[in-house]
Amino acid sequence: NETLCRLKYLNFPKGWRMRAYNTAKSGSSTETQSIFQAFLARYDQMLQNRGPPKNHSGIDLEIGIFGRHNNSYGTQYNICHQCTKLFRHDCPVGDDNAEHYFCSACEREYCENCVTTTGCGICSYGFCVGTCITHSCASPNCDEKVCDECKQYWCDKCYRTWCDECCSRNCLDCEWCTKRYCHECSENDEMNGVLRCDEYDCVNIACSSCLLKRLQEGELDCMKCIRKATPLIKQLKDENKELKEENEALCQRIQNLEESKQSLEMLMYNRMGITSRDIGCRYRTLQEPN
């Protein structure tokens, strides 16, 4: 009953909203989802039946439930999640219509008086500062923020994160794999880093592993790239030698343990008065069929 009911704002769990959205989209529905969807429709209808509230200037303020979009399905729009103050997106900002934002992480709308929001430096979506967006661009001259969804713009070595623009200036991506190294890490670790070839007729941007693979396949023509991949061959040989020596040492250790085990067993049998002949007879007895 829109006259007696004083409900002004409801915030539903995202799991409920997404399940209801997916079932509505697919056309299938369980009894529980049907009840939830019916409740959303009834609640939205109640808000509409109340009539639009007015601000201090007498302008109608629309309020209702989103029902068409994925991330906003089942959310209440034109209302601040914190102070429940209503606003209009098409009205100028003033005393009775504060600036308002939608956070793409918690999927709620806020007014500027309650929450400070900022845009992600990569996807440009708005997020609550300090709670929903916590990553800053690693460039010292950039104050852009980066959301969790876009945090893939990092160095695979030091894991520093950049915004889209700064990443293109500070990092290099291997053309043949997903490895990304910043300039600093590539210079400090040339054997594994990603470097750009500065030969006039070469445009390779690659890591040593990919250069070596292309060299082995006969697809590398640039002499500078070949020289860069050559030390990796020696490194791989040294690593194979170390692994071989380690494997031989382990095999020798296993053999020593087996000999120690046999010695301990013989010592135990001697103390029990059991000779090696008795052990052989018992072994043959166990092996004979009944």
Coordinates of all heavy atoms in Angstrom, one line a residue, residues 187-238:
E187 N 65.8 -3.5 -18.1 CA 67.2 -3.1 -18.1 C 67.9 -3.9 -17.0 O 69.1 -4.2 -17.2 CB 67.3 -1.6 -17.9 CG 66.8 -0.8 -19.0 CD 66.7 0.7 -18.7 OE1 67.1 1.1 -17.6 OE2 66.4 1.5 -19.6
N188 N 67.3 -4.1 -15.9 CA 68.0 -4.8 -14.8 C 68.0 -6.3 -15.0 O 68.8 -7.0 -14.3 CB 67.3 -4.5 -13.4 CG 67.4 -3.1 -13.1 OD1 68.4 -2.4 -13.5 ND2 66.5 -2.6 -12.3
D189 N 67.2 -6.9 -15.9 CA 67.1 -8.3 -16.1 C 66.9 -8.6 -17.6 O 65.9 -9.0 -18.1 CB 65.9 -8.9 -15.3 CG 65.9 -10.4 -15.4 OD1 66.9 -11.0 -15.9 OD2 64.9 -11.0 -15.0
E190 N 68.0 -8.3 -18.3 CA 68.0 -8.4 -19.8 C 67.7 -9.8 -20.2 O 67.2 -10.1 -21.3 CB 69.3 -7.9 -20.4 CG 69.5 -6.4 -20.2 CD 70.7 -5.9 -21.0 OE1 71.3 -6.7 -21.7 OE2 70.9 -4.7 -20.9
M191 N 68.1 -10.8 -19.4 CA 68.0 -12.2 -19.8 C 66.5 -12.6 -19.9 O 66.1 -13.5 -20.7 CB 68.7 -13.1 -18.8 CG 68.9 -14.5 -19.3 SD 70.0 -14.6 -20.7 CE 71.5 -14.1 -20.1
N192 N 65.6 -12.0 -19.1 CA 64.2 -12.3 -19.0 C 63.3 -11.2 -19.4 O 62.1 -11.4 -19.5 CB 63.8 -12.8 -17.6 CG 64.6 -14.1 -17.2 OD1 64.6 -15.1 -17.9 ND2 65.3 -14.0 -16.1
G193 N 63.8 -10.0 -19.5 CA 63.0 -8.8 -19.8 C 62.5 -8.7 -21.2 O 62.8 -9.6 -22.1
V194 N 61.7 -7.7 -21.4 CA 61.2 -7.4 -22.8 C 61.8 -6.2 -23.3 O 61.8 -5.1 -22.7 CB 59.6 -7.2 -22.7 CG1 59.1 -6.9 -24.1 CG2 58.9 -8.4 -22.1
L195 N 62.5 -6.3 -24.4 CA 63.2 -5.2 -25.0 C 62.8 -4.9 -26.4 O 62.4 -5.8 -27.2 CB 64.7 -5.5 -25.0 CG 65.4 -5.7 -23.6 CD1 66.8 -6.1 -23.7 CD2 65.2 -4.4 -22.8
R196 N 63.0 -3.6 -26.8 CA 62.6 -3.2 -28.2 C 63.9 -3.2 -29.0 O 64.9 -2.5 -28.6 CB 62.0 -1.9 -28.2 CG 61.5 -1.4 -29.6 CD 61.2 0.1 -29.5 NE 60.4 0.5 -28.5 CZ 59.0 0.6 -28.6 NH1 58.5 0.3 -29.8 NH2 58.3 1.0 -27.6
C197 N 64.0 -3.8 -30.1 CA 65.1 -3.8 -31.0 C 65.2 -2.4 -31.7 O 64.2 -1.9 -32.2 CB 65.1 -4.9 -32.0 SG 66.6 -5.0 -33.1
D198 N 66.4 -1.8 -31.6 CA 66.6 -0.5 -32.2 C 67.3 -0.5 -33.5 O 67.8 0.5 -34.0 CB 67.3 0.4 -31.2 CG 68.7 -0.2 -30.8 OD1 69.1 -1.2 -31.4 OD2 69.3 0.4 -29.9
E199 N 67.4 -1.7 -34.2 CA 67.9 -1.8 -35.5 C 66.9 -1.1 -36.5 O 65.7 -1.1 -36.3 CB 68.0 -3.2 -35.9 CG 69.2 -3.9 -35.3 CD 70.6 -3.4 -35.8 OE1 70.7 -3.1 -37.0 OE2 71.4 -3.1 -34.9
Y200 N 67.5 -0.5 -37.5 CA 66.7 0.4 -38.4 C 65.5 -0.4 -39.1 O 64.4 0.1 -39.2 CB 67.6 1.0 -39.5 CG 66.9 1.7 -40.6 CD1 66.4 3.0 -40.3 CD2 66.6 1.2 -41.8 CE1 65.7 3.7 -41.2 CE2 65.9 1.9 -42.8 CZ 65.5 3.2 -42.5 OH 64.8 3.9 -43.4
D201 N 65.8 -1.6 -39.5 CA 64.8 -2.4 -40.3 C 64.1 -3.5 -39.4 O 63.5 -4.4 -39.9 CB 65.4 -3.0 -41.5 CG 66.6 -3.9 -41.2 OD1 67.1 -3.8 -40.0 OD2 67.0 -4.7 -42.0
C202 N 64.2 -3.4 -38.1 CA 63.6 -4.4 -37.2 C 62.7 -3.7 -36.2 O 63.0 -2.6 -35.7 CB 64.7 -5.1 -36.4 SG 64.1 -6.4 -35.3
V203 N 61.5 -4.3 -36.1 CA 60.5 -3.7 -35.2 C 60.1 -4.7 -34.1 O 59.0 -4.6 -33.5 CB 59.2 -3.4 -36.0 CG1 59.5 -2.2 -37.0 CG2 58.7 -4.6 -36.8
N204 N 61.0 -5.6 -33.8 CA 60.6 -6.6 -32.8 C 60.6 -6.0 -31.4 O 61.5 -5.3 -31.0 CB 61.7 -7.8 -32.8 CG 61.5 -8.7 -34.0 OD1 60.4 -8.8 -34.5 ND2 62.6 -9.3 -34.4
I205 N 59.5 -6.4 -30.7 CA 59.4 -6.1 -29.2 C 59.1 -7.4 -28.6 O 58.0 -7.9 -28.6 CB 58.3 -5.1 -28.9 CG1 58.5 -3.8 -29.7 CG2 58.2 -4.8 -27.4 CD1 57.4 -2.7 -29.5
A206 N 60.1 -8.0 -28.0 CA 60.0 -9.4 -27.5 C 60.9 -9.7 -26.3 O 61.8 -9.0 -26.0 CB 60.3 -10.4 -28.7
C207 N 60.5 -10.8 -25.6 CA 61.3 -11.3 -24.5 C 62.3 -12.3 -25.1 O 62.2 -12.8 -26.2 CB 60.5 -12.0 -23.5 SG 59.6 -13.4 -24.0
S208 N 63.3 -12.6 -24.3 CA 64.4 -13.5 -24.8 C 63.9 -14.9 -25.1 O 64.3 -15.5 -26.1 CB 65.5 -13.6 -23.7 OG 66.1 -12.4 -23.5
S209 N 62.9 -15.4 -24.3 CA 62.4 -16.7 -24.6 C 61.7 -16.9 -25.9 O 61.9 -17.8 -26.7 CB 61.4 -17.1 -23.5 OG 62.0 -17.1 -22.2
C210 N 61.0 -15.8 -26.3 CA 60.3 -15.9 -27.6 C 61.3 -15.7 -28.8 O 61.2 -16.3 -29.8 CB 59.2 -14.8 -27.7 SG 57.8 -15.1 -26.6
L211 N 62.3 -14.8 -28.5 CA 63.4 -14.7 -29.5 C 64.1 -16.0 -29.8 O 64.4 -16.4 -30.9 CB 64.4 -13.6 -29.1 CG 63.9 -12.2 -29.2 CD1 64.9 -11.2 -28.7 CD2 63.4 -11.8 -30.6
L212 N 64.4 -16.7 -28.7 CA 65.1 -18.0 -28.8 C 64.2 -19.0 -29.6 O 64.7 -19.8 -30.4 CB 65.4 -18.6 -27.4 CG 66.1 -19.9 -27.4 CD1 67.4 -19.9 -28.2 CD2 66.3 -20.4 -25.9
K213 N 62.9 -19.0 -29.3 CA 62.0 -20.0 -29.9 C 62.0 -19.7 -31.4 O 62.0 -20.6 -32.3 CB 60.6 -19.9 -29.3 CG 59.6 -20.8 -29.9 CD 58.2 -20.7 -29.2 CE 57.2 -21.6 -29.9 NZ 55.9 -21.5 -29.2
R214 N 61.9 -18.4 -31.8 CA 61.8 -18.0 -33.2 C 63.2 -18.3 -33.9 O 63.2 -18.6 -35.1 CB 61.5 -16.6 -33.4 CG 60.0 -16.3 -32.9 CD 59.7 -14.8 -33.1 NE 59.7 -14.4 -34.5 CZ 58.6 -14.5 -35.3 NH1 57.5 -15.0 -34.8 NH2 58.7 -14.1 -36.5
L215 N 64.3 -18.2 -33.1 CA 65.6 -18.5 -33.7 C 65.7 -20.0 -33.9 O 66.2 -20.4 -35.0 CB 66.7 -18.1 -32.7 CG 68.1 -18.4 -33.0 CD1 68.5 -17.7 -34.3 CD2 69.1 -18.0 -31.9
Q216 N 65.2 -20.8 -33.0 CA 65.2 -22.3 -33.2 C 64.3 -22.7 -34.4 O 64.6 -23.7 -35.1 CB 64.7 -23.0 -32.0 CG 65.7 -22.8 -30.8 CD 65.1 -23.4 -29.5 OE1 63.9 -23.4 -29.3 NE2 66.0 -23.8 -28.6
E217 N 63.3 -21.9 -34.7 CA 62.4 -22.2 -35.8 C 62.8 -21.6 -37.1 O 62.2 -21.7 -38.1 CB 60.9 -21.7 -35.5 CG 60.3 -22.5 -34.3 CD 59.0 -21.9 -33.9 OE1 58.6 -20.8 -34.4 OE2 58.3 -22.5 -33.0
G218 N 64.0 -20.9 -37.1 CA 64.5 -20.3 -38.3 C 63.8 -19.0 -38.7 O 63.8 -18.7 -39.9
E219 N 63.1 -18.3 -37.8 CA 62.2 -17.2 -38.2 C 62.8 -15.9 -37.8 O 62.1 -14.9 -37.8 CB 60.8 -17.4 -37.7 CG 60.1 -18.6 -38.2 CD 58.7 -18.8 -37.6 OE1 58.3 -17.9 -36.8 OE2 58.0 -19.7 -37.9
L220 N 64.1 -15.9 -37.3 CA 64.7 -14.7 -36.8 C 65.8 -14.2 -37.8 O 66.8 -15.0 -38.0 CB 65.2 -14.9 -35.4 CG 65.4 -13.7 -34.5 CD1 64.0 -13.0 -34.3 CD2 65.9 -14.1 -33.1
D221 N 65.7 -13.0 -38.3 CA 66.7 -12.6 -39.3 C 67.6 -11.4 -38.8 O 68.7 -11.2 -39.3 CB 66.0 -12.1 -40.6 CG 65.2 -13.2 -41.2 OD1 65.6 -14.3 -41.2 OD2 64.1 -12.9 -41.8
C222 N 67.1 -10.7 -37.8 CA 67.8 -9.6 -37.2 C 69.0 -10.1 -36.4 O 68.9 -10.9 -35.5 CB 66.9 -8.7 -36.4 SG 67.7 -7.3 -35.5
M223 N 70.2 -9.6 -36.7 CA 71.4 -10.1 -36.1 C 71.5 -9.6 -34.6 O 71.9 -10.3 -33.7 CB 72.7 -9.6 -36.8 CG 72.9 -10.2 -38.2 SD 72.9 -12.1 -38.0 CE 74.3 -12.3 -36.9
K224 N 70.9 -8.4 -34.3 CA 70.9 -7.9 -33.0 C 70.0 -8.8 -32.1 O 70.3 -9.1 -30.9 CB 70.5 -6.5 -32.9 CG 70.6 -5.9 -31.5 CD 70.5 -4.4 -31.6 CE 70.7 -3.8 -30.2 NZ 70.7 -2.3 -30.2
C225 N 68.9 -9.2 -32.6 CA 67.9 -10.0 -31.9 C 68.5 -11.4 -31.7 O 68.3 -12.0 -30.6 CB 66.6 -10.2 -32.7 SG 65.6 -8.6 -32.7
I226 N 69.3 -11.9 -32.7 CA 70.0 -13.2 -32.5 C 71.0 -13.1 -31.4 O 71.1 -14.0 -30.6 CB 70.6 -13.6 -33.9 CG1 69.5 -13.9 -34.9 CG2 71.5 -14.8 -33.7 CD1 70.0 -14.2 -36.3
R227 N 71.8 -12.0 -31.4 CA 72.8 -11.9 -30.3 C 72.1 -11.8 -29.0 O 72.7 -12.2 -28.0 CB 73.6 -10.6 -30.6 CG 74.6 -10.8 -31.8 CD 75.6 -9.6 -31.7 NE 75.0 -8.3 -31.9 CZ 74.9 -7.8 -33.1 NH1 75.2 -8.4 -34.2 NH2 74.3 -6.6 -33.2
K228 N 70.9 -11.2 -28.9 CA 70.2 -11.1 -27.6 C 69.7 -12.5 -27.2 O 69.7 -12.8 -26.0 CB 69.0 -10.2 -27.8 CG 68.2 -10.0 -26.5 CD 67.1 -8.9 -26.7 CE 66.4 -8.7 -25.4 NZ 65.6 -9.8 -24.9
A229 N 69.4 -13.3 -28.1 CA 68.8 -14.7 -27.8 C 69.9 -15.7 -27.5 O 69.7 -16.7 -26.8 CB 67.9 -15.2 -28.9
T230 N 71.1 -15.4 -28.0 CA 72.2 -16.4 -27.9 C 72.6 -16.7 -26.5 O 72.8 -17.8 -26.1 CB 73.5 -15.9 -28.7 OG1 73.1 -15.8 -30.1 CG2 74.6 -16.9 -28.6
P231 N 72.8 -15.6 -25.6 CA 73.1 -15.9 -24.2 C 72.1 -16.8 -23.5 O 72.5 -17.6 -22.6 CB 73.2 -14.5 -23.5 CG 73.4 -13.6 -24.6 CD 72.7 -14.2 -25.8
L232 N 70.9 -16.8 -23.9 CA 69.9 -17.7 -23.3 C 70.2 -19.1 -23.6 O 69.8 -20.0 -22.8 CB 68.5 -17.3 -23.8 CG 67.3 -17.9 -23.1 CD1 67.3 -17.4 -21.6 CD2 66.0 -17.5 -23.7
I233 N 70.8 -19.4 -24.7 CA 71.1 -20.8 -25.1 C 72.1 -21.3 -24.0 O 72.0 -22.5 -23.5 CB 71.7 -20.9 -26.5 CG1 70.7 -20.5 -27.5 CG2 72.2 -22.3 -26.8 CD1 71.2 -20.4 -28.9
K234 N 73.2 -20.5 -23.7 CA 74.1 -20.9 -22.7 C 73.5 -21.1 -21.3 O 73.8 -22.0 -20.6 CB 75.2 -19.9 -22.6 CG 76.4 -20.3 -21.6 CD 77.4 -19.2 -21.6 CE 78.6 -19.6 -20.7 NZ 78.1 -19.8 -19.3
Q235 N 72.5 -20.2 -21.0 CA 71.8 -20.2 -19.7 C 71.0 -21.5 -19.6 O 71.0 -22.2 -18.6 CB 70.9 -19.0 -19.6 CG 70.2 -19.1 -18.2 CD 69.1 -17.9 -18.2 OE1 68.9 -17.2 -19.1 NE2 68.6 -17.8 -17.0
L236 N 70.4 -21.9 -20.7 CA 69.6 -23.2 -20.7 C 70.5 -24.4 -20.6 O 70.1 -25.3 -19.9 CB 68.8 -23.2 -22.0 CG 67.6 -22.2 -22.2 CD1 67.0 -22.4 -23.5 CD2 66.6 -22.4 -21.1
K237 N 71.7 -24.4 -21.2 CA 72.6 -25.5 -21.1 C 73.1 -25.6 -19.7 O 73.2 -26.7 -19.1 CB 73.8 -25.3 -22.1 CG 73.4 -25.5 -23.5 CD 74.7 -25.3 -24.4 CE 74.4 -25.6 -25.9 NZ 75.6 -25.4 -26.7
D238 N 73.4 -24.4 -19.1 CA 73.8 -24.5 -17.7 C 72.7 -25.0 -16.7 O 73.0 -25.8 -15.8 CB 74.3 -23.1 -17.2 CG 75.5 -22.6 -18.0 OD1 76.2 -23.5 -18.5 OD2 75.8 -21.4 -18.0

